[in-house]
PDB file of all heavy atoms in Angstrom:
ATOM      1  N   LEU A1033     -33.876  43.904 -56.670  1.00  0.00           N
ATOM      2  CA  LEU A1033     -34.541  44.918 -57.485  1.00  0.00           C
ATOM      3  C   LEU A1033     -35.497  45.765 -56.661  1.00  0.00           C
ATOM      4  O   LEU A1033     -35.598  47.003 -56.887  1.00  0.00           O
ATOM      5  CB  LEU A1033     -35.296  44.240 -58.642  1.00  0.00           C
ATOM      6  CG  LEU A1033     -34.507  44.068 -59.973  1.00  0.00           C
ATOM      7  CD1 LEU A1033     -33.233  43.281 -59.728  1.00  0.00           C
ATOM      8  CD2 LEU A1033     -35.371  43.382 -61.018  1.00  0.00           C
ATOM      9  N   THR A1034     -36.156  45.176 -55.704  1.00  0.00           N
ATOM     10  CA  THR A1034     -37.028  45.921 -54.790  1.00  0.00           C
ATOM     11  C   THR A1034     -36.215  46.941 -54.019  1.00  0.00           C
ATOM     12  O   THR A1034     -36.616  48.114 -53.917  1.00  0.00           O
ATOM     13  CB  THR A1034     -37.746  44.989 -53.811  1.00  0.00           C
ATOM     14  OG1 THR A1034     -38.589  44.097 -54.554  1.00  0.00           O
ATOM     15  CG2 THR A1034     -38.620  45.776 -52.834  1.00  0.00           C
ATOM     16  N   GLU A1035     -35.058  46.534 -53.490  1.00  0.00           N
ATOM     17  CA  GLU A1035     -34.204  47.448 -52.730  1.00  0.00           C
ATOM     18  C   GLU A1035     -33.678  48.587 -53.610  1.00  0.00           C
ATOM     19  O   GLU A1035     -33.514  49.719 -53.118  1.00  0.00           O
ATOM     20  CB  GLU A1035     -33.028  46.658 -52.128  1.00  0.00           C
ATOM     21  CG  GLU A1035     -32.063  47.467 -51.302  1.00  0.00           C
ATOM     22  CD  GLU A1035     -32.671  48.035 -50.033  1.00  0.00           C
ATOM     23  OE1 GLU A1035     -33.708  47.519 -49.571  1.00  0.00           O
ATOM     24  OE2 GLU A1035     -32.085  48.998 -49.483  1.00  0.00           O
ATOM     25  N   LEU A1036     -33.456  48.314 -54.884  1.00  0.00           N
ATOM     26  CA  LEU A1036     -32.922  49.327 -55.797  1.00  0.00           C
ATOM     27  C   LEU A1036     -34.013  50.154 -56.458  1.00  0.00           C
ATOM     28  O   LEU A1036     -33.721  51.066 -57.239  1.00  0.00           O
ATOM     29  CB  LEU A1036     -32.055  48.676 -56.862  1.00  0.00           C
ATOM     30  CG  LEU A1036     -30.764  47.996 -56.340  1.00  0.00           C
ATOM     31  CD1 LEU A1036     -30.075  47.233 -57.476  1.00  0.00           C
ATOM     32  CD2 LEU A1036     -29.819  49.024 -55.740  1.00  0.00           C
ATOM     33  N   GLY A1037     -35.280  49.835 -56.177  1.00  0.00           N
ATOM     34  CA  GLY A1037     -36.386  50.574 -56.752  1.00  0.00           C
ATOM     35  C   GLY A1037     -36.640  50.254 -58.220  1.00  0.00           C
ATOM     36  O   GLY A1037     -37.210  51.093 -58.945  1.00  0.00           O
ATOM     37  N   ILE A1038     -36.231  49.069 -58.665  1.00  0.00           N
ATOM     38  CA  ILE A1038     -36.457  48.659 -60.043  1.00  0.00           C
ATOM     39  C   ILE A1038     -37.725  47.811 -60.092  1.00  0.00           C
ATOM     40  O   ILE A1038     -37.847  46.801 -59.400  1.00  0.00           O
ATOM     41  CB  ILE A1038     -35.253  47.850 -60.571  1.00  0.00           C
ATOM     42  CG1 ILE A1038     -33.971  48.694 -60.512  1.00  0.00           C
ATOM     43  CG2 ILE A1038     -35.510  47.354 -61.987  1.00  0.00           C
ATOM     44  CD1 ILE A1038     -32.702  47.908 -60.851  1.00  0.00           C
ATOM     45  N   THR A1039     -38.699  48.235 -60.907  1.00  0.00           N
ATOM     46  CA  THR A1039     -39.966  47.520 -60.947  1.00  0.00           C
ATOM     47  C   THR A1039     -39.877  46.237 -61.753  1.00  0.00           C
ATOM     48  O   THR A1039     -39.092  46.123 -62.686  1.00  0.00           O
ATOM     49  CB  THR A1039     -41.072  48.422 -61.547  1.00  0.00           C
ATOM     50  OG1 THR A1039     -40.675  48.834 -62.861  1.00  0.00           O
ATOM     51  CG2 THR A1039     -41.275  49.663 -60.685  1.00  0.00           C
ATOM     52  N   TYR A1040     -40.726  45.277 -61.391  1.00  0.00           N
ATOM     53  CA  TYR A1040     -40.797  44.012 -62.108  1.00  0.00           C
ATOM     54  C   TYR A1040     -42.203  43.459 -61.881  1.00  0.00           C
ATOM     55  O   TYR A1040     -42.951  43.879 -60.987  1.00  0.00           O
ATOM     56  CB  TYR A1040     -39.754  43.014 -61.601  1.00  0.00           C
ATOM     57  CG  TYR A1040     -39.841  42.720 -60.120  1.00  0.00           C
ATOM     58  CD1 TYR A1040     -40.624  41.658 -59.646  1.00  0.00           C
ATOM     59  CD2 TYR A1040     -39.155  43.481 -59.188  1.00  0.00           C
ATOM     60  CE1 TYR A1040     -40.716  41.394 -58.296  1.00  0.00           C
ATOM     61  CE2 TYR A1040     -39.244  43.220 -57.830  1.00  0.00           C
ATOM     62  CZ  TYR A1040     -40.031  42.166 -57.392  1.00  0.00           C
ATOM     63  OH  TYR A1040     -40.111  41.903 -56.050  1.00  0.00           O
ATOM     64  N   GLY A1041     -42.562  42.496 -62.712  1.00  0.00           N
ATOM     65  CA  GLY A1041     -43.891  41.896 -62.600  1.00  0.00           C
ATOM     66  C   GLY A1041     -43.833  40.534 -61.911  1.00  0.00           C
ATOM     67  O   GLY A1041     -42.769  39.911 -61.826  1.00  0.00           O
ATOM     68  N   THR A1042     -44.981  40.113 -61.443  1.00  0.00           N
ATOM     69  CA  THR A1042     -45.083  38.806 -60.783  1.00  0.00           C
ATOM     70  C   THR A1042     -46.245  38.039 -61.405  1.00  0.00           C
ATOM     71  O   THR A1042     -47.351  38.593 -61.542  1.00  0.00           O
ATOM     72  CB  THR A1042     -45.323  38.937 -59.285  1.00  0.00           C
ATOM     73  OG1 THR A1042     -44.275  39.731 -58.700  1.00  0.00           O
ATOM     74  CG2 THR A1042     -45.333  37.559 -58.611  1.00  0.00           C
ATOM     75  N   ALA A1043     -46.002  36.815 -61.779  1.00  0.00           N
ATOM     76  CA  ALA A1043     -47.069  35.974 -62.315  1.00  0.00           C
ATOM     77  C   ALA A1043     -47.269  34.781 -61.399  1.00  0.00           C
ATOM     78  O   ALA A1043     -46.301  34.180 -60.931  1.00  0.00           O
ATOM     79  CB  ALA A1043     -46.687  35.479 -63.714  1.00  0.00           C
ATOM     80  N   VAL A1044     -48.523  34.486 -61.087  1.00  0.00           N
ATOM     81  CA  VAL A1044     -48.849  33.340 -60.240  1.00  0.00           C
ATOM     82  C   VAL A1044     -49.340  32.224 -61.167  1.00  0.00           C
ATOM     83  O   VAL A1044     -50.320  32.387 -61.902  1.00  0.00           O
ATOM     84  CB  VAL A1044     -49.918  33.698 -59.201  1.00  0.00           C
ATOM     85  CG1 VAL A1044     -50.349  32.437 -58.438  1.00  0.00           C
ATOM     86  CG2 VAL A1044     -49.392  34.751 -58.234  1.00  0.00           C
ATOM     87  N   THR A1045     -48.656  31.094 -61.152  1.00  0.00           N
ATOM     88  CA  THR A1045     -48.998  29.993 -62.036  1.00  0.00           C
ATOM     89  C   THR A1045     -49.427  28.762 -61.243  1.00  0.00           C
ATOM     90  O   THR A1045     -49.028  28.544 -60.109  1.00  0.00           O
ATOM     91  CB  THR A1045     -47.825  29.626 -62.948  1.00  0.00           C
ATOM     92  OG1 THR A1045     -46.714  29.236 -62.140  1.00  0.00           O
ATOM     93  CG2 THR A1045     -47.416  30.808 -63.799  1.00  0.00           C
ATOM     94  N   VAL A1046     -50.214  27.939 -61.894  1.00  0.00           N
ATOM     95  CA  VAL A1046     -50.670  26.692 -61.306  1.00  0.00           C
ATOM     96  C   VAL A1046     -49.574  25.646 -61.423  1.00  0.00           C
ATOM     97  O   VAL A1046     -49.022  25.425 -62.526  1.00  0.00           O
ATOM     98  CB  VAL A1046     -51.951  26.206 -61.997  1.00  0.00           C
ATOM     99  CG1 VAL A1046     -52.376  24.839 -61.444  1.00  0.00           C
ATOM    100  CG2 VAL A1046     -53.067  27.213 -61.836  1.00  0.00           C
ATOM    101  N   VAL A1047     -49.238  25.022 -60.286  1.00  0.00           N
ATOM    102  CA  VAL A1047     -48.228  23.944 -60.287  1.00  0.00           C
ATOM    103  C   VAL A1047     -48.932  22.589 -60.385  1.00  0.00           C
ATOM    104  O   VAL A1047     -48.628  21.786 -61.281  1.00  0.00           O
ATOM    105  CB  VAL A1047     -47.365  24.005 -59.029  1.00  0.00           C
ATOM    106  CG1 VAL A1047     -46.362  22.845 -59.026  1.00  0.00           C
ATOM    107  CG2 VAL A1047     -46.623  25.331 -58.948  1.00  0.00           C
ATOM    108  N   THR A1048     -49.878  22.326 -59.501  1.00  0.00           N
ATOM    109  CA  THR A1048     -50.625  21.089 -59.487  1.00  0.00           C
ATOM    110  C   THR A1048     -52.023  21.333 -58.923  1.00  0.00           C
ATOM    111  O   THR A1048     -52.272  22.347 -58.287  1.00  0.00           O
ATOM    112  CB  THR A1048     -49.967  19.994 -58.634  1.00  0.00           C
ATOM    113  OG1 THR A1048     -49.846  20.462 -57.286  1.00  0.00           O
ATOM    114  CG2 THR A1048     -48.593  19.594 -59.175  1.00  0.00           C
ATOM    115  N   THR A1049     -52.907  20.400 -59.182  1.00  0.00           N
ATOM    116  CA  THR A1049     -54.213  20.390 -58.521  1.00  0.00           C
ATOM    117  C   THR A1049     -54.400  19.028 -57.841  1.00  0.00           C
ATOM    118  O   THR A1049     -53.858  18.020 -58.302  1.00  0.00           O
ATOM    119  CB  THR A1049     -55.366  20.605 -59.529  1.00  0.00           C
ATOM    120  OG1 THR A1049     -55.287  19.607 -60.560  1.00  0.00           O
ATOM    121  CG2 THR A1049     -55.296  21.995 -60.144  1.00  0.00           C
ATOM    122  N   GLU A1050     -55.126  19.052 -56.749  1.00  0.00           N
ATOM    123  CA  GLU A1050     -55.369  17.806 -55.994  1.00  0.00           C
ATOM    124  C   GLU A1050     -56.434  16.965 -56.711  1.00  0.00           C
ATOM    125  O   GLU A1050     -57.501  17.482 -57.055  1.00  0.00           O
ATOM    126  CB  GLU A1050     -55.823  18.119 -54.576  1.00  0.00           C
ATOM    127  CG  GLU A1050     -54.796  18.770 -53.710  1.00  0.00           C
ATOM    128  CD  GLU A1050     -55.322  19.035 -52.310  1.00  0.00           C
ATOM    129  OE1 GLU A1050     -55.916  18.103 -51.705  1.00  0.00           O
ATOM    130  OE2 GLU A1050     -55.176  20.151 -51.820  1.00  0.00           O
ATOM    131  N   LYS A1051     -56.140  15.710 -56.873  1.00  0.00           N
ATOM    132  CA  LYS A1051     -57.096  14.818 -57.548  1.00  0.00           C
ATOM    133  C   LYS A1051     -58.385  14.729 -56.751  1.00  0.00           C
ATOM    134  O   LYS A1051     -58.382  14.548 -55.543  1.00  0.00           O
ATOM    135  CB  LYS A1051     -56.474  13.409 -57.700  1.00  0.00           C
ATOM    136  CG  LYS A1051     -57.264  12.511 -58.604  1.00  0.00           C
ATOM    137  CD  LYS A1051     -56.539  11.218 -58.901  1.00  0.00           C
ATOM    138  CE  LYS A1051     -57.323  10.349 -59.883  1.00  0.00           C
ATOM    139  NZ  LYS A1051     -56.609   9.093 -60.206  1.00  0.00           N
ATOM    140  N   GLY A1052     -59.476  14.887 -57.450  1.00  0.00           N
ATOM    141  CA  GLY A1052     -60.785  14.798 -56.818  1.00  0.00           C
ATOM    142  C   GLY A1052     -61.279  16.070 -56.178  1.00  0.00           C
ATOM    143  O   GLY A1052     -62.418  16.145 -55.725  1.00  0.00           O
ATOM    144  N   GLN A1053     -60.444  17.112 -56.169  1.00  0.00           N
ATOM    145  CA  GLN A1053     -60.847  18.398 -55.627  1.00  0.00           C
ATOM    146  C   GLN A1053     -61.437  19.295 -56.714  1.00  0.00           C
ATOM    147  O   GLN A1053     -61.246  19.027 -57.909  1.00  0.00           O
ATOM    148  CB  GLN A1053     -59.662  19.070 -54.939  1.00  0.00           C
ATOM    149  CG  GLN A1053     -59.137  18.350 -53.726  1.00  0.00           C
ATOM    150  CD  GLN A1053     -60.182  18.237 -52.621  1.00  0.00           C
ATOM    151  OE1 GLN A1053     -60.870  19.206 -52.280  1.00  0.00           O
ATOM    152  NE2 GLN A1053     -60.335  17.028 -52.074  1.00  0.00           N
ATOM    153  N   PRO A1054     -62.143  20.367 -56.355  1.00  0.00           N
ATOM    154  CA  PRO A1054     -62.864  21.190 -57.338  1.00  0.00           C
ATOM    155  C   PRO A1054     -61.998  21.706 -58.501  1.00  0.00           C
ATOM    156  O   PRO A1054     -62.490  21.802 -59.632  1.00  0.00           O
ATOM    157  CB  PRO A1054     -63.411  22.353 -56.500  1.00  0.00           C
ATOM    158  CG  PRO A1054     -63.581  21.768 -55.129  1.00  0.00           C
ATOM    159  CD  PRO A1054     -62.432  20.801 -54.974  1.00  0.00           C
ATOM    160  N   ALA A1055     -60.726  22.051 -58.227  1.00  0.00           N
ATOM    161  CA  ALA A1055     -59.889  22.611 -59.298  1.00  0.00           C
ATOM    162  C   ALA A1055     -59.384  21.558 -60.251  1.00  0.00           C
ATOM    163  O   ALA A1055     -58.914  21.885 -61.353  1.00  0.00           O
ATOM    164  CB  ALA A1055     -58.700  23.350 -58.666  1.00  0.00           C
ATOM    165  N   ASP A1056     -59.461  20.277 -59.855  1.00  0.00           N
ATOM    166  CA  ASP A1056     -58.930  19.197 -60.685  1.00  0.00           C
ATOM    167  C   ASP A1056     -59.647  19.143 -62.040  1.00  0.00           C
ATOM    168  O   ASP A1056     -60.882  19.017 -62.096  1.00  0.00           O
ATOM    169  CB  ASP A1056     -59.101  17.867 -59.935  1.00  0.00           C
ATOM    170  CG  ASP A1056     -58.458  16.715 -60.673  1.00  0.00           C
ATOM    171  OD1 ASP A1056     -57.512  16.947 -61.426  1.00  0.00           O
ATOM    172  OD2 ASP A1056     -58.897  15.566 -60.469  1.00  0.00           O
ATOM    173  N   GLY A1057     -58.881  19.247 -63.114  1.00  0.00           N
ATOM    174  CA  GLY A1057     -59.449  19.177 -64.443  1.00  0.00           C
ATOM    175  C   GLY A1057     -59.960  20.524 -64.965  1.00  0.00           C
ATOM    176  O   GLY A1057     -60.250  20.653 -66.172  1.00  0.00           O
ATOM    177  N   LYS A1058     -60.092  21.514 -64.103  1.00  0.00           N
ATOM    178  CA  LYS A1058     -60.547  22.834 -64.522  1.00  0.00           C
ATOM    179  C   LYS A1058     -59.374  23.815 -64.653  1.00  0.00           C
ATOM    180  O   LYS A1058     -59.260  24.505 -65.669  1.00  0.00           O
ATOM    181  CB  LYS A1058     -61.575  23.379 -63.546  1.00  0.00           C
ATOM    182  CG  LYS A1058     -62.908  22.609 -63.570  1.00  0.00           C
ATOM    183  CD  LYS A1058     -63.963  23.332 -62.770  1.00  0.00           C
ATOM    184  CE  LYS A1058     -65.319  22.641 -62.928  1.00  0.00           C
ATOM    185  NZ  LYS A1058     -66.389  23.366 -62.211  1.00  0.00           N
ATOM    186  N   LEU A1059     -58.537  23.847 -63.624  1.00  0.00           N
ATOM    187  CA  LEU A1059     -57.303  24.628 -63.718  1.00  0.00           C
ATOM    188  C   LEU A1059     -56.189  23.651 -64.065  1.00  0.00           C
ATOM    189  O   LEU A1059     -56.099  22.573 -63.475  1.00  0.00           O
ATOM    190  CB  LEU A1059     -57.023  25.340 -62.406  1.00  0.00           C
ATOM    191  CG  LEU A1059     -58.033  26.451 -62.039  1.00  0.00           C
ATOM    192  CD1 LEU A1059     -57.797  26.960 -60.622  1.00  0.00           C
ATOM    193  CD2 LEU A1059     -57.936  27.593 -63.026  1.00  0.00           C
ATOM    194  N   LEU A1060     -55.340  24.050 -64.982  1.00  0.00           N
ATOM    195  CA  LEU A1060     -54.301  23.141 -65.465  1.00  0.00           C
ATOM    196  C   LEU A1060     -52.896  23.647 -65.111  1.00  0.00           C
ATOM    197  O   LEU A1060     -52.690  24.855 -64.943  1.00  0.00           O
ATOM    198  CB  LEU A1060     -54.410  23.011 -66.993  1.00  0.00           C
ATOM    199  CG  LEU A1060     -55.771  22.598 -67.559  1.00  0.00           C
ATOM    200  CD1 LEU A1060     -55.692  22.500 -69.062  1.00  0.00           C
ATOM    201  CD2 LEU A1060     -56.246  21.282 -66.941  1.00  0.00           C
ATOM    202  N   LYS A1061     -51.959  22.713 -65.045  1.00  0.00           N
ATOM    203  CA  LYS A1061     -50.585  23.069 -64.767  1.00  0.00           C
ATOM    204  C   LYS A1061     -50.076  24.077 -65.796  1.00  0.00           C
ATOM    205  O   LYS A1061     -50.257  23.891 -67.000  1.00  0.00           O
ATOM    206  CB  LYS A1061     -49.697  21.828 -64.786  1.00  0.00           C
ATOM    207  CG  LYS A1061     -48.232  22.107 -64.526  1.00  0.00           C
ATOM    208  CD  LYS A1061     -47.400  20.824 -64.539  1.00  0.00           C
ATOM    209  CE  LYS A1061     -45.935  21.143 -64.280  1.00  0.00           C
ATOM    210  NZ  LYS A1061     -45.089  19.914 -64.294  1.00  0.00           N
ATOM    211  N   GLY A1062     -49.487  25.176 -65.323  1.00  0.00           N
ATOM    212  CA  GLY A1062     -48.991  26.209 -66.213  1.00  0.00           C
ATOM    213  C   GLY A1062     -49.940  27.355 -66.430  1.00  0.00           C
ATOM    214  O   GLY A1062     -49.546  28.401 -66.991  1.00  0.00           O
TER     215      GLY A1062
END
Side-chain angles (χ1 to χ4, degrees):
L1033 269 57
T1034 298
E1035 180 65 20
L1036 295 173
I1038 300 172
T1039 58
Y1040 58 90
T1042 304
V1044 174
T1045 61
V1046 176
V1047 178
T1048 59
T1049 56
E1050 293 181 48
K1051 191 171 183 179
Q1053 294 299 313
D1056 185 26
K1058 291 190 173 183
L1059 293 172
L1060 306 181
K1061 180 179 180 179

